[in-house]
Amino acid sequence: MVKIILIKKLSEAVYIYTGKVDICGIDTSKLPRLKDKETNELLKKARAGDNNARNELINGNLRLVLSVVKRFWGRGENPDDLFQVGCIGLIKAIDNFDLSLNVCFSTYGCPMIIGEIRRYLRDNNSIKISRSIKDTAYKAMQAKEKLIIKTKREPTVSEIAEEMGIPREDVVVALESIVDPISLYEPVFSENGDSVYVLDQIGDKNDDSNWLCEISMRDAISRLSSRERNILSLRFIKGKTQMEVSNEIGISQAQVSRLEKNAIDKIKN
């Protein structure tokens, strides 16, 4: 029996079958598969002005577009729209591919399709953000990926800002601007049919318990040693890792972990 997965997103519904996807009215299971040699021959003909070869290239690489589009499902965007935007990226890749490069077309085509979809998502966000902030966010994501490859770990916001040569605050604002908004009625936890929604997690600033909690928190922090306060500040205000804190204050990472845990336990108590 063919397994059917139904994905519903507001007004759109996409049916995915094993080995088959219907999107934009296209049954992708019937699309042709091009071999590298065939792709290269068609690219040469298309570059020479053969429109039939160009169309055959587009149809033969729609599976590539689909594989990229799947990465962006679940963001509340219409899959048909994403597929069409991906096709624009594919066409740009076909028109700009350098035949002298010793790489497969898909190696060049995938980043082009991804870039086109990312630009679409950036420019069609439900919350309008200025172009300069969007560009900063895009560059910050590139810098982040570059640092991950270089350091083999998740970089801090400060490291991203240093890599870009801009203030840390600008990076924070830019990255926050591209976070997808969520509904207040989005469930964050569910058990036995009872759900907790985002709305339930929002506090009331007029609640009398808030100022009591703040007084208790300040009192608890004042009772910590200067080293414990420094560690919590470096970890949770400046966003440093335990290893970075250990290098800064001259103790081992294990000591930082122990002092941090003890400080948090004191505050909780």
Side-chain angles (χ1 to χ4, degrees):
M1 181 177 180
V2 178
K3 182 179 179 182
I4 301 178
I5 304 171
L6 176 62
I7 300 176
K8 290 184 178 180
K9 291 287 179 185
L10 298 177
S11 62
E12 80 262 17
V14 181
Y15 291 85
I16 306 174
Y17 302 83
T18 302
K20 173 183 176 181
V21 175
D22 290 325
I23 192 167
C24 286
I26 300 173
D27 178 0
T28 56
S29 66
K30 296 180 180 179
L31 291 172
R33 294 177 181 270
L34 294 177
K35 296 180 180 179
D36 290 342
K37 186 176 180 180
E38 293 174 323
T39 299
N40 289 335
E41 289 299 322
L42 289 172
L43 282 167
K44 292 176 182 178
K45 292 179 180 179
R47 192 57 52 83
D50 189 336
N51 287 329
N52 289 331
R54 185 170 180 268
N55 291 335
E56 190 175 344
L57 266 174
I58 294 171
N59 289 327
N61 283 280
L62 290 180
R63 291 176 184 271
L64 179 63
V65 176
L66 182 63
S67 67
V68 173
V69 168
K70 286 180 180 179
R71 306 183 191 183
F72 296 90
W73 282 355
R75 298 190 177 201
E77 295 289 338
N78 190 306
D80 285 0
D81 291 343
L82 295 180
F83 186 76
Q84 292 176 41
V85 173
C87 288
I88 294 175
L90 171 63
I91 293 171
K92 287 182 178 180
I94 291 172
D95 292 342
N96 293 283
F97 182 68
D98 187 351
L99 292 168
S100 65
L101 296 175
N102 188 28
V103 296
C104 295
F105 171 73
S106 59
T107 304
Y108 176 79
C110 271
M112 289 287 287
I113 297 169
I114 291 172
E116 197 67 30
I117 293 176
R118 283 179 174 170
R119 277 190 291 274
Y120 167 78
L121 294 174
R122 195 169 67 243
D123 294 340
N124 290 274
N125 196 295
S126 55
I127 299 176
K128 298 303 179 184
I129 308 296
S130 73
R131 171 67 68 176
S132 60
I133 293 179
K134 288 179 180 178
D135 289 342
T136 300
Y138 181 64
K139 292 175 182 177
M141 294 299 294
Q142 288 183 316
K144 180 180 179 181
E145 293 175 2
K146 180 180 178 181
L147 287 169
I148 289 176
I149 295 173
K150 181 179 178 181
T151 63
K152 308 300 182 183
R153 61 174 175 80
E154 191 82 5
T156 64
V157 175
S158 298
E159 289 173 332
I160 295 174
E162 184 178 351
E163 175 71 20
M164 297 175 64
I166 63 175
R168 181 179 184 276
E169 293 76 13
D170 290 352
V171 176
V172 173
V173 171
L175 292 178
E176 287 291 335
S177 72
I178 61 173
V179 175
D180 294 330
I182 62 174
S183 168
L184 291 175
Y185 295 96
E186 181 83 13
V188 294
F189 176 78
S190 182
E191 184 176 7
N192 298 326
D194 296 326
S195 298
V196 176
Y197 300 95
V198 173
L199 182 65
D200 300 322
Q201 305 297 302
I202 299 176
D204 182 0
K205 292 185 177 180
N206 296 319
D207 189 345
D208 291 341
S209 63
N210 282 335
W211 64 270
L212 289 173
C213 287
E214 185 173 348
I215 291 174
S216 299
M217 178 70 77
R218 289 179 179 275
D219 181 60
I221 292 176
S222 69
R223 296 173 185 271
L224 300 176
S225 68
S226 59
R227 171 172 280 185
E228 289 172 330
R229 288 198 300 270
N230 186 30
I231 288 174
L232 292 185
S233 175
L234 291 172
R235 288 279 289 124
F236 301 108
I237 295 179
K238 295 188 177 180
K240 293 179 179 282
T241 64
Q242 289 185 348
M243 185 59 70
E244 289 172 331
V245 174
S246 71
N247 292 333
E248 182 164 331
I249 64 178
I251 61 176
S252 68
Q253 185 268 334
Q255 288 177 296
V256 171
S257 178
R258 178 176 56 80
L259 289 169
E260 177 186 317
K261 183 178 182 303
N262 290 341
I264 293 175
D265 287 341
K266 286 179 183 180
I267 293 174
K268 286 180 178 179
N269 292 331

